[in-house]
Amino acid sequence: MKRISLLYTSARPHLILNVLEAWKEKASSWNDIEAIVVTDHPYDGKFPNMMHLINNERHDCVTGWNIAARNAAGHLFVQVSDDLMPPQNWDQKLLSLSKSLSFFSLHLLDERGLCDFVFHPVISRSVYEHFGYLYPASFKSMYCDMWLFYAHK
């Protein structure tokens, strides 16, 4: 079982391999990571440890992330977007932060350090199983990650 699941939904297939490469390059060990990629249409790209799924439901990022989460096998779920890049050794940092916890959500800041925004939502499998979804299905689009942080505060 992979320890970390990257939940990645994209409407820009031309960016997917570059985004995954950036996450892989900054990881300590890609062997512990799976990338669940959800698109609205067929996608032919291949990448190590990547599972591709087609969103046959409502075409928006919330639905895509929920589909990715439903199919994830990891202990940690990390939401990925086309425009969010991780710091160096991000995987080891996350594993270190969560090593003794089983029920958690992490509020991680980006390089600007804005405390009222969530840029890399991370939750445990236990939190996902408790709620039964990453985001409520009634959510439609952007800034849903803010709910994730406030719901788990």
Side-chain angles (χ1 to χ4, degrees), residues 40 45 55 72 87 95 104 124 127 145 148:
D40 293 341
N55 178 359
L95 291 170
F104 61 87
S124 66
V127 168
D145 48 3
L148 182 65

Short mmCIF file of all heavy atoms in Angstrom, two decimals, residues 40 45 55 72 87 95 104 124 127 145 148:
data_model
loop_
_atom_site.label_atom_id
_atom_site.label_comp_id
_atom_site.label_asym_id
_atom_site.label_seq_id
_atom_site.Cartn_x
_atom_site.Cartn_y
_atom_site.Cartn_z
N ASP A 40 -11.84 15.02 -17.27
CA ASP A 40 -13.21 14.92 -17.78
C ASP A 40 -13.29 14.12 -19.08
O ASP A 40 -14.38 13.76 -19.51
CB ASP A 40 -13.80 16.31 -18.02
CG ASP A 40 -13.99 17.07 -16.71
OD1 ASP A 40 -14.02 16.45 -15.64
OD2 ASP A 40 -14.12 18.31 -16.78
N GLY A 45 -1.69 10.10 -21.29
CA GLY A 45 -0.40 10.26 -20.62
C GLY A 45 -0.10 9.12 -19.66
O GLY A 45 -1.01 8.55 -19.05
N ASN A 55 -13.82 11.37 -15.19
CA ASN A 55 -14.96 11.90 -14.46
C ASN A 55 -16.20 11.81 -15.35
O ASN A 55 -16.37 12.59 -16.27
CB ASN A 55 -14.69 13.35 -14.06
CG ASN A 55 -15.87 13.98 -13.33
OD1 ASN A 55 -16.90 13.35 -13.15
ND2 ASN A 55 -15.71 15.22 -12.94
N ALA A 72 -8.37 6.29 -3.83
CA ALA A 72 -7.04 6.39 -3.24
C ALA A 72 -6.80 5.26 -2.25
O ALA A 72 -7.71 4.81 -1.56
CB ALA A 72 -6.88 7.73 -2.55
N PRO A 87 7.08 21.93 -1.69
CA PRO A 87 8.46 22.22 -1.32
C PRO A 87 9.32 20.95 -1.47
O PRO A 87 8.78 19.84 -1.62
CB PRO A 87 8.36 22.64 0.14
CG PRO A 87 7.15 21.92 0.64
CD PRO A 87 6.20 21.85 -0.53
N LEU A 95 4.99 13.05 6.22
CA LEU A 95 5.04 11.82 7.02
C LEU A 95 5.55 12.10 8.42
O LEU A 95 5.06 11.53 9.40
CB LEU A 95 5.90 10.77 6.32
CG LEU A 95 5.30 10.20 5.03
CD1 LEU A 95 6.31 9.35 4.29
CD2 LEU A 95 4.03 9.41 5.32
N PHE A 104 -6.40 13.39 11.24
CA PHE A 104 -5.87 14.75 11.16
C PHE A 104 -6.17 15.39 9.82
O PHE A 104 -6.39 14.71 8.83
CB PHE A 104 -4.35 14.76 11.38
CG PHE A 104 -3.61 13.97 10.36
CD1 PHE A 104 -3.21 14.53 9.16
CD2 PHE A 104 -3.32 12.63 10.58
CE1 PHE A 104 -2.55 13.79 8.20
CE2 PHE A 104 -2.65 11.89 9.63
CZ PHE A 104 -2.26 12.47 8.44
N SER A 124 -6.00 12.75 6.62
CA SER A 124 -5.76 11.32 6.81
C SER A 124 -6.91 10.52 6.21
O SER A 124 -8.02 11.03 6.03
CB SER A 124 -5.62 10.99 8.30
OG SER A 124 -6.85 11.22 8.96
N VAL A 127 -9.96 10.68 8.43
CA VAL A 127 -10.84 11.84 8.27
C VAL A 127 -11.74 11.63 7.06
O VAL A 127 -12.94 11.88 7.12
CB VAL A 127 -10.02 13.14 8.14
CG1 VAL A 127 -10.89 14.30 7.69
CG2 VAL A 127 -9.34 13.47 9.47
N ASP A 145 -11.52 24.19 -0.73
CA ASP A 145 -10.48 23.78 0.22
C ASP A 145 -10.53 24.61 1.50
O ASP A 145 -10.08 24.18 2.55
CB ASP A 145 -9.09 23.83 -0.41
CG ASP A 145 -8.80 25.11 -1.17
OD1 ASP A 145 -9.65 26.02 -1.18
OD2 ASP A 145 -7.72 25.18 -1.75
N LEU A 148 -12.69 22.72 3.90
CA LEU A 148 -11.98 21.58 4.47
C LEU A 148 -11.23 21.99 5.73
O LEU A 148 -11.31 21.32 6.76
CB LEU A 148 -11.00 21.00 3.44
CG LEU A 148 -10.20 19.78 3.85
CD1 LEU A 148 -11.13 18.60 4.07
CD2 LEU A 148 -9.18 19.45 2.78
#
